Amino acid sequence: MSARLSIVPYDEDDDENALNRDRAHNNTLDNNQSHGHEEPEYEDDPFSTLPNNVKKALYGEVSDLELEANAILKDLNVFHIMHDKEIWKNLNNWNFEIFELREKCPIHPLTVITYKVFQKTHMFDLFRIPIAEFFRFFSKLESGYHPKNHYHNRLHAADVMQSVYWLVTQNIPCVNGDYMVIEDKIPSIELLSLLSAAAMHDYDHPGRTNAFLVDTQDPLLADEDGCCFDWSNEIDRLLYLQLCIKLADIAGPSKKFSIHSQWTECICNEFYEQGDHEARLNLPISKYMDRKNPQKAKLQVNFIGHVVGPLCENFSNAFLVPGDLEPIQENGLTSDGDGSISSQRVSITSVLSEEFKKRPNFVAKNLISTQVRENLAHWQKVVRSEEDVNRMPSTE
């Protein structure tokens, strides 16, 4: 990769300033306006959403390097999507219409959504990232996602980017009736690292499971770590960011059903291709990967019940999900032995700081938990219906 980001050195002893850089930036802009300082106006400006310093570069008022952004944006053919108000109006929504983005921008969904997120979080200004270098780097990164993958592709990476952005920028309820935002709890350099990691988390993914790679002795193997955190500890805080990416990575079943069902089709198609590959290699076809014996509903019941559900529940119980509080009552996700959210788990709340253990009288109420339950219930109903059909006597 030839692109290099120009990063301002981070002073580890200046955490308070790091956390408030964006506020200072906004105050500076306000002060300039109040003292009569006016930025130049550009008629019919195609870059109306860009910061003024970037607009100056694009209009030839700064360096030749930044001026190259003009040509790069045209080469990427992303002008239309950058200014599509309809698609971006829901960027701050957990149910962002990611498949509509694919329809409107099939080649560079990751690059454009990363640009929007960096813009919203002031990454360009905080770290003086040249706009041309940004597009070079992320378009090159995006090309490392295999377009033939049905699920682990650039659209999935774009979805993880948006989901991570939502998790760290939306209001999270506190027991005292106030709200907090994760973005305000971490230094800017950690936020930059989180967003960058979200963009590249499945780079060069082969579209096959770890078990397949082991069976075929493929040199590319993945590793997934569990983690916990404590706000007062830097290492634990960074581990929380990893967990945040994991939640975003498997968030499909926590989105509204119209979005979740499309991700379900994507992962099933990728699984079926692996099953076909296994058959060609005379290997046993992995569970849920035989297209001649589809078990989509059972796949989702198990995935939600034993993976997505427990993680979302723990996030919710730890008050780490944007939403509200309500008085405590009998409303958890419980296990009924098969197909519901497993109670056999290590609770994140058991290892959190005391700050999160002093909230016995409230429970979190949020969209993620609600939609996980709704989607799980849907697939459980489908499984029961399929079992009823299978029990019916044959008419032959």
Side-chain angles (χ1 to χ4, degrees):
M1 250 178 247
S2 59
R4 296 173 57 192
L5 298 180
S6 175
I7 303 297
V8 177
Y10 173 65
D11 184 353
E12 294 183 354
D13 296 325
D14 197 14
D15 285 344
E16 183 176 355
N17 286 338
L19 291 171
N20 292 287
R21 282 175 184 152
D22 52 350
R23 296 189 183 93
H25 169 73
N26 291 333
N27 290 338
T28 299
L29 295 179
D30 292 340
N31 290 336
N32 286 342
Q33 293 175 356
S34 64
H35 287 85
H37 176 77
E38 296 183 359
E39 295 288 351
E41 294 291 333
Y42 303 100
E43 295 184 2
D44 300 322
D45 185 6
F47 306 105
S48 60
T49 64
L50 298 179
N52 277 314
N53 63 324
V54 176
K55 285 195 283 188
K56 291 179 182 178
L58 294 175
Y59 283 96
E61 298 178 26
V62 189
S63 67
D64 292 337
L65 178 63
E66 290 180 307
L67 184 60
E68 291 175 348
N70 196 352
I72 292 174
L73 289 169
K74 289 182 178 179
D75 289 342
L76 295 179
N77 192 29
V78 294
F79 284 110
H80 65 294
I81 192 64
M82 288 297 190
H83 305 292
D84 189 327
K85 295 181 179 179
E86 187 65 25
I87 190 68
W88 299 119
K89 70 180 182 181
N90 291 320
L91 185 62
N92 292 332
N93 190 318
W94 183 245
N95 290 317
F96 176 76
E97 296 290 352
I98 191 69
F99 288 95
E100 288 186 11
L101 177 63
R102 181 181 65 177
E103 293 299 317
K104 296 182 177 183
C105 187
I107 306 300
H108 297 290
L110 175 58
T111 298
V112 298
I113 207 165
T114 302
Y115 169 79
K116 286 292 185 180
V117 168
F118 271 44
Q119 187 180 41
K120 291 281 189 179
T121 54
H122 308 297
M123 292 294 105
F124 292 112
D125 292 329
L126 292 176
F127 296 100
R128 304 175 191 171
I129 302 173
I131 193 72
E133 296 299 284
F134 168 86
F135 279 107
R136 281 199 191 95
F137 179 87
F138 280 99
S139 61
K140 183 67 175 178
L141 171 68
E142 188 162 22
S143 69
Y145 282 88
H146 301 300
K148 292 184 179 180
N149 288 353
H150 291 278
Y151 183 86
H152 292 99
N153 51 36
R154 59 189 63 186
L155 187 70
H156 168 64
D159 185 55
V160 172
M161 169 65 70
Q162 189 275 332
S163 297
V164 164
Y165 165 72
W166 185 86
L167 286 168
V168 300
T169 60
Q170 303 305 301
N171 287 334
I172 293 175
C174 299
V175 73
N176 63 3
D178 203 353
Y179 289 85
M180 72 170 183
V181 177
I182 299 294
E183 182 184 13
D184 296 335
K185 294 285 187 177
I186 60 176
S188 298
I189 190 65
E190 292 181 10
L191 179 58
L192 176 64
S193 300
L194 172 66
L195 298 176
S196 300
M200 62 183 69
H201 81 283
D202 271 337
Y203 179 85
D204 199 29
H205 195 290
R208 299 291 185 267
T209 63
N210 283 357
F212 177 87
L213 299 179
V214 170
D215 290 340
T216 58
Q217 298 182 342
D218 194 291
L220 178 61
L221 292 176
D223 181 39
E224 297 178 348
D225 298 322
C227 53
C228 58
F229 91 106
D230 178 348
W231 285 128
S232 64
N233 185 290
E234 179 183 4
I235 295 177
D236 287 349
R237 191 171 67 243
L238 294 179
L239 288 175
Y240 157 77
L241 299 181
Q242 293 177 349
L243 191 59
C244 178
I245 291 180
K246 173 52 62 180
L247 176 59
D249 186 28
I250 61 174
S254 69
K255 303 298 178 76
K256 65 181 182 181
F257 187 77
S258 62
I259 296 175
H260 162 54
S261 61
Q262 293 184 78
W263 282 126
T264 300
E265 291 300 317
C266 291
I267 194 60
C268 285
N269 287 331
E270 189 166 296
F271 277 3
Y272 295 152
E273 288 202 352
Q274 177 173 319
D276 295 342
H277 195 175
E278 290 170 333
R280 291 194 299 270
L281 296 174
N282 294 318
L283 294 172
I285 298 179
S286 300
K287 190 175 183 179
Y288 305 123
M289 299 188 184
D290 187 352
R291 67 172 69 248
K292 296 179 181 179
N293 181 30
Q295 296 179 299
K296 179 169 60 176
K298 287 186 178 180
L299 166 65
Q300 288 305 305
V301 165
N302 280 284
F303 183 53
I304 298 173
H306 299 293
V307 181
V308 180
L311 180 58
C312 291
E313 181 184 9
N314 274 297
F315 250 69
S316 181
N317 289 343
F319 294 83
L320 296 174
V321 176
D324 293 298
L325 291 178
E326 63 180 13
I328 195 167
Q329 54 187 344
E330 197 69 29
N331 79 322
L333 294 171
T334 59
S335 174
D336 61 6
D338 181 27
S340 62
I341 293 177
S342 175
S343 61
Q344 301 299 316
R345 63 185 183 277
V346 177
S347 176
I348 296 174
T349 53
S350 67
V351 288
L352 290 178
S353 65
E354 291 300 319
E355 174 186 353
F356 294 103
K357 297 179 182 178
K358 298 176 180 178
R359 307 177 178 195
N361 299 320
F362 297 91
V363 293
K365 181 180 180 181
N366 54 74
L367 189 62
I368 289 180
S369 296
T370 298
Q371 292 180 166
V372 166
R373 293 186 183 98
E374 291 174 348
N375 290 330
L376 177 59
H378 168 84
W379 293 116
Q380 288 174 324
K381 182 178 180 180
V382 173
V383 169
R384 288 193 296 269
S385 177
E386 291 174 346
E387 291 174 345
D388 289 342
V389 171
N390 291 335
R391 284 195 293 266
M392 293 178 63
S394 175
T395 57
E396 296 181 1

